[in-house]
C-alpha cells in the first residue's frame, strides 16, 4: 500500500499534496504501509467551502431524491463490504473476523435513508391568539464529524448518515491512524451520485481537527474520541459557540450474578472484554463484577475462553485477537499493568506481557486479567483501551450497583442473570447510557447510543441520533 500519499477528498477531488504527511504503521508488523496526507487549515477551509455549496444543492432536492440517493449509497456500500472490511484491517489491524463495521455502515445508511422523507415539524396553539404557529426542523448546514481511529466506518454510519438524511453536508475527519476505509467511503459517496463536496474526507491530526472545530462555517461538531481531546474540542468550539456532541470513552461494568448461565456469561464477557478489538473499544467491559458464590467457577470458565482465542495475523479469518494500535499504546498499557502489579491493585492471573515469537515486531499485548481488584485503583478507574480486565467480587445486588456506578464514566453496562426482575431493577439503577442484558454491545441503528457522566453527551442512532443534526425554527403567522 505504500507509495504516493493517501490523499484527502475535497469536493470530489483527491488531493495528495499537503504540507504535512503521516507515516502509517501497520500495527501487526510494526512496518509502514501507507503515507497519509494530512489536512491543514487551508484544506479545511476549502472543504468547508465545498460542503457549503454542495449542501445548498442537497437541500434543493426533494426529500424523495435525498432518500433514494442514500438508499443508493447503501447499495454501493453493500457491493463493497469485503473491500471496506479489508481496508479496516489495513487501517488498524482489527482481525478481519471482527471487521463488521462495514456492515454497520450499510445498516445505518438504510435506517437513516428512511428518515430523509420523514423529518417533519408541528403546529401548535399560541397563548391569547389564533395565529398559526409552525415548529420546523432544519439542517445546520455544514457539520464537522471527527472520528477515533477504532471506528471510522461506524462513525460514518452513525453520524454521517443521519447528518445527510437531515439535509446537512459533512466534513469528516478520520484519525490519521486509520484513514483508509473512510477515504474509500468518500469515493463511494461520489460513485452513488451524491453531490461532490457533500461528504469530504480529511484525514488529519490535532492541528487539522482543531482547524475544523474552529472554522466559522462549521455549524455543529460531532466528536467521538477520548475525554482529554473532547475537552480541547469543546474549548475550541466555545470561541464560535459551535454546539458539540461528545461520544467518549468508558470503564464499563459487566455484572455476573449468581443465577447467570455461567458458560454463556464467560463467553460473552471474554469477547466483550479483552478479546473484542483487543479491548480497544469504547464498550470494552473492562470491569468484571462477579458474585462471590460463583466467583471461582466463573473465573475459571472466563480464563478458559480468554486463553482459547487465536492470536495472530489479523487478515487470517480464524484469528480473534490482534495487536493494539501503536508502539506508544503498547507501552502505555504495559506501564498500567506494571503499576497495578507494583501497587497491589489486584492479582495478575494471566497476561501482562508483549507477545513474542513471530509476532514480536507487531504491537501485541497478551490478554490480561487481574483478580480481586480494588475498584478505587487507577487500574479500575482509568480507561486502559487495551486487553486488560479487572475482576471484582461482590456479595449482593446493592453492592454490585454501587461498585458499577463508582466511576467517572457511564457509557455501557452489562448484566448476566436469568432473573428478569433483577435485570430490570439493576438496569434502571445503573448510571449508564446503555445496558446490555445477557448480551454483548450489539449496537443497532435503532438504538440511541451515548454516555452518561464523563462518557459524553448526545446520542447516535435512532430518532435521537437524527435530532443531533437538526435545529428548530419557529414560524408564526399573524392572523390579525
Ligand atoms: P482521541 O481523542 O485521541 O482522538 C479522536 C479524534 O480526535 C481523532 O480523529 C484525532 O485526530 C482528533 N483530534 C485530536 N486532537 C484534536 C483536536 N485538538 N481538535 C480536534 N480533533 C482532534 O481518541 P482515539 O485514540 O482516536 O480513540 C479512542 C477513544 O475514543 C477512546 O477513549 C474510546 O473510548 C473513544 N471512543 C468512543 C466511542 C463512542 O461511541 N462513545 C466510540 C469509539 C471510540
Amino acid at each position: 500500500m505504500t507509495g504516493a500519499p493517501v490523499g484527502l477528498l475535497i469536493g470530489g477531488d483527491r488531493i495528495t499534496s499537503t504540507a504535512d504527511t503521516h507515516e502509517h504503521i501497520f500495527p501487526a508488523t510494526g512496518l509502514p504501509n501507507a503515507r497519509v496526507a494530512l489536512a491543514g487549515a487551508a484544506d479545511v477551509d476549502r472543504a468547508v467551502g465545498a460542503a457549503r455549496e454542495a449542501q445548498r444543492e442537497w437541500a434543493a432536492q426533494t426529500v424523495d431524491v435525498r432518500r433514494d440517493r442514500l438508499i443508493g449509497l447503501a447499495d454501493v456500500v453493500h457491493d463493497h463490504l469485503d473491500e471496506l472490511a479489508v481496508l479496516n484491517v489495513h487501517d488498524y489491524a482489527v482481525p478481519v473476523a471482527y471487521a463488521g463495521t462495514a456492515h454497520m455502515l450499510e445498516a445505518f445508511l438504510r435506517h437513516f435513508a428512511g428518515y430523509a422523507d420523514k423529518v417533519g415539524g408541528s403546529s401548535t396553539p399560541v397563548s391569547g391568539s389564533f395565529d398559526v404557529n409552525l415548529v420546523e426542523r432544519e439542517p445546520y448546514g455544514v457539520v464537522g464529524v471527527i472520528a477515533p481511529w477504532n471506528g471510522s466506518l461506524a462513525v460514518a454510519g452513525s453520524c454521517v448518515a443521519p447528518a445527510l438524511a437531515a439535509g446537512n453536508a459533512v466534513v469528516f475527519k478520520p484519525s490519521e491512524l486509520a484513514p483508509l476505509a473512510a477515504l474509500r467511503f468518500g469515493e463511494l459517496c461520489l460513485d452513488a451520485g451524491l453531490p461532490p463536496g457533500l461528504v469530504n474526507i480529511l484525514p488529519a491530526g490535532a492541528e487539522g481537527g482543531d482547524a475544523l472545530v474552529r472554522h466559522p462555517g462549521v455549524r455543529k461538531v460531532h466528536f467521538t474520541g477520548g475525554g482529554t481531546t473532547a475537552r480541547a474540542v469543546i474549548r475550541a468550539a466555545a470561541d464560535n459557540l459551535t454546539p458539540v456532541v461528545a461520544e467518549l470513552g468508558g470503564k464499563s461494568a459487566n455484572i455476573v450474578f449468581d443465577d447467570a448461565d455461567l458458560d454463556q456469561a464467560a463467553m460473552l464477557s471474554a469477547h466483550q472484554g479483552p478479546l473484542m478489538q483487543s479491548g480497544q473499544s469504547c464498550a470494552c467491559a473492562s470491569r468484571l463484577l462477579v458474585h462471590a458464590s460463583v466467583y471461582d467457577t466463573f473465573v475459571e470458565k472466563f480464563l478458559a475462553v480468554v486463553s482459547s482465542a487465536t492470536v495472530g495475523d489479523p487478515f487470517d479469518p480464524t484469528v480473534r485477537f490482534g495487536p493494539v494500535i501503536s508502539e506508544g499504546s503498547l507501552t502505555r498499557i504495559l506501564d498500567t499493568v506494571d503499576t497495578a502489579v507494583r501497587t497491589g491493585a489486584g492479582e495478575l492471573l494471566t497476561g501482562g506481557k508483549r507477545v513474542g515469537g513471530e509476532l514480536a515486531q507487531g504491537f501485541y499485548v497478551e490478554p490480561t486479567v487481574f483478580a480481586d481488584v480494588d475498584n478505587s485503583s487507577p487500574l479500575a478507574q482509568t480507561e486502559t483501551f487495551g486487553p486488560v480486565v479487572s475482576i471484582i467480587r461482590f456479595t449482593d445486588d446493592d453492592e454490585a450497583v454501587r461498585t458499577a456506578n463508582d466511576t467517572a464514566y457511564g457509557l455501557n453496562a452489562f448484566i448476566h442473570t436469568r432473573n428478569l426482575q433483577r435485570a430490570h431493577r439493576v438496569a434502571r439503577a445503573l448510571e449508564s447510557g446503555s445496558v446490555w442484558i445477557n448480551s454483548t454491545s450489539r449496537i443497532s441503528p435503532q438504538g440511541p447510543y451515548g454516555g452518561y457522566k464523563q462518557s459524553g453527551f448526545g446520542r447516535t442512532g435512532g430518532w435521537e441520533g437524527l435530532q443531533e443534526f437538526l435545529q428548530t425554527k419557529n414560524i408564526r403567522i399573524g392572523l390579525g
Side-chain angles (χ1 to χ4, degrees):
M1 292 210 101
T2 42
V6 175
L8 321 173
L9 195 65
I10 300 180
D13 298 327
R14 193 80 176 240
I15 291 151
T16 52
S17 156
T18 51
D20 202 4
T21 59
H22 168 77
E23 187 170 59
H24 186 272
I25 305 291
F26 187 51
T29 59
L31 298 172
N33 67 340
R35 181 153 285 283
V36 180
L38 293 182
D43 305 301
V44 167
D45 191 46
R46 214 178 130 196
V48 173
R52 196 179 306 137
E53 227 170 273
Q55 197 268 333
R56 287 194 195 108
E57 187 184 334
W58 187 235
Q61 308 282 350
T62 64
V63 290
D64 316 71
V65 173
R66 298 210 302 254
R67 177 201 59 218
D68 292 348
R69 287 279 172 80
L70 291 179
I71 293 171
L73 174 58
D75 292 340
V76 172
V77 165
H78 179 82
D79 292 341
H80 293 81
L81 286 176
D82 291 344
E83 183 193 353
L84 288 169
V86 167
L87 285 171
N88 241 197
V89 183
H90 283 292
D91 261 334
Y92 61 101
V94 58
V96 72
Y98 273 122
T101 52
H103 289 271
M104 200 171 156
L105 168 61
E106 182 191 344
F108 273 78
L109 280 166
R110 291 198 192 286
H111 175 76
F112 283 112
Y115 275 128
D117 62 358
K118 296 172 192 69
V119 173
S122 59
S123 87
T124 73
V126 283
S127 298
S129 149
F130 293 97
D131 287 358
V132 176
N133 193 49
L134 301 174
V135 181
E136 300 203 337
R137 308 286 285 144
E138 295 185 340
Y140 281 90
V142 177
V143 300
V145 173
I146 299 177
W149 60 261
N150 74 331
S152 64
L153 292 183
V155 170
S158 63
C159 304
V160 177
L164 299 181
N168 300 280
V170 177
V171 179
F172 181 31
K173 192 205 91 56
S175 166
E176 74 277 32
L177 301 179
L180 305 173
L183 280 161
R184 188 70 186 116
F185 167 66
E187 290 176 343
L188 296 181
C189 291
L190 295 170
D191 293 351
L194 298 191
L198 194 69
V199 178
N200 305 276
I201 313 286
L202 269 68
E207 195 188 323
D210 185 65
L212 179 60
V213 173
R214 290 181 187 279
H215 198 290
V218 171
R219 297 291 156 75
K220 176 124 191 189
V221 170
H222 200 296
F223 172 81
T224 308
T228 305
T229 316
R231 286 169 175 84
V233 165
I234 291 164
R235 281 189 201 106
D239 281 353
N240 290 324
L241 295 176
T242 308
V244 178
V245 170
E247 298 280 349
L248 312 179
K251 195 73 191 179
S252 300
N254 181 13
I255 310 174
V256 180
F257 288 101
D258 50 357
D259 61 359
D261 175 337
L262 295 187
D263 290 312
Q264 176 184 284
M267 175 68 77
L268 298 179
S269 303
H271 285 284
Q272 190 66 46
L275 301 187
M276 188 169 65
Q277 298 193 161
S278 301
Q280 301 168 111
S281 158
C282 58
C284 176
S286 50
R287 291 184 303 143
L288 184 46
L289 279 51
V290 185
H291 192 275
S293 68
V294 294
Y295 190 92
D296 293 340
T297 314
F298 176 82
V299 170
E300 196 181 313
K301 289 176 187 291
F302 177 72
L303 289 178
V305 183
V306 169
S307 63
S308 70
T310 322
V311 183
D313 175 3
F315 284 107
D316 177 343
T318 65
V319 163
R320 288 289 180 278
F321 188 85
V324 298
I325 183 68
S326 64
E327 182 91 48
S329 196
L330 177 135
T331 306
R332 181 182 52 73
I333 294 163
L334 294 181
D335 282 352
T336 303
V337 171
D338 286 348
T339 307
V341 170
R342 200 167 21 82
T343 57
E347 181 197 353
L348 180 62
L349 294 183
T350 186
K353 293 195 291 296
R354 184 175 189 156
V355 176
E358 282 179 358
L359 302 175
Q361 298 309 309
F363 311 134
Y364 288 83
V365 178
E366 294 172 344
T368 302
V369 180
F370 282 89
D372 287 310
V373 172
D374 172 1
N375 190 58
S376 65
S377 65
L379 177 65
Q381 291 292 326
T382 311
E383 186 183 42
T384 316
F385 224 56
V388 183
V389 165
S390 303
I391 310 183
I392 299 166
R393 206 182 286 253
F394 70 87
T395 51
D396 61 45
D397 293 17
D398 287 347
E399 186 188 6
V401 169
R402 243 188 349 267
T403 308
N405 287 341
D406 185 10
T407 164
Y409 294 104
L411 191 58
N412 291 274
F414 303 84
I415 297 172
H416 301 274
T417 176
R418 289 187 172 102
N419 179 333
L420 186 58
Q421 286 174 322
R422 168 184 268 164
H424 218 115
R425 196 175 53 240
V426 171
R428 284 188 170 163
L430 291 170
E431 296 167 352
S432 173
S434 296
V435 180
W436 312 88
I437 298 165
N438 300 328
S439 173
T440 51
S441 59
R442 305 184 65 195
I443 293 172
S444 68
Q446 295 81 8
Y449 185 77
Y452 277 24
K453 303 193 286 189
Q454 291 187 24
S455 288
F457 37 85
R459 291 293 178 268
T460 58
W463 180 245
E464 288 84 353
L466 183 73
Q467 301 312 307
E468 304 293 357
F469 296 100
L470 289 164
Q471 51 189 344
T472 303
K473 179 176 279 177
N474 184 197
I475 303 173
R476 178 164 166 167
I477 306 172
L479 294 187

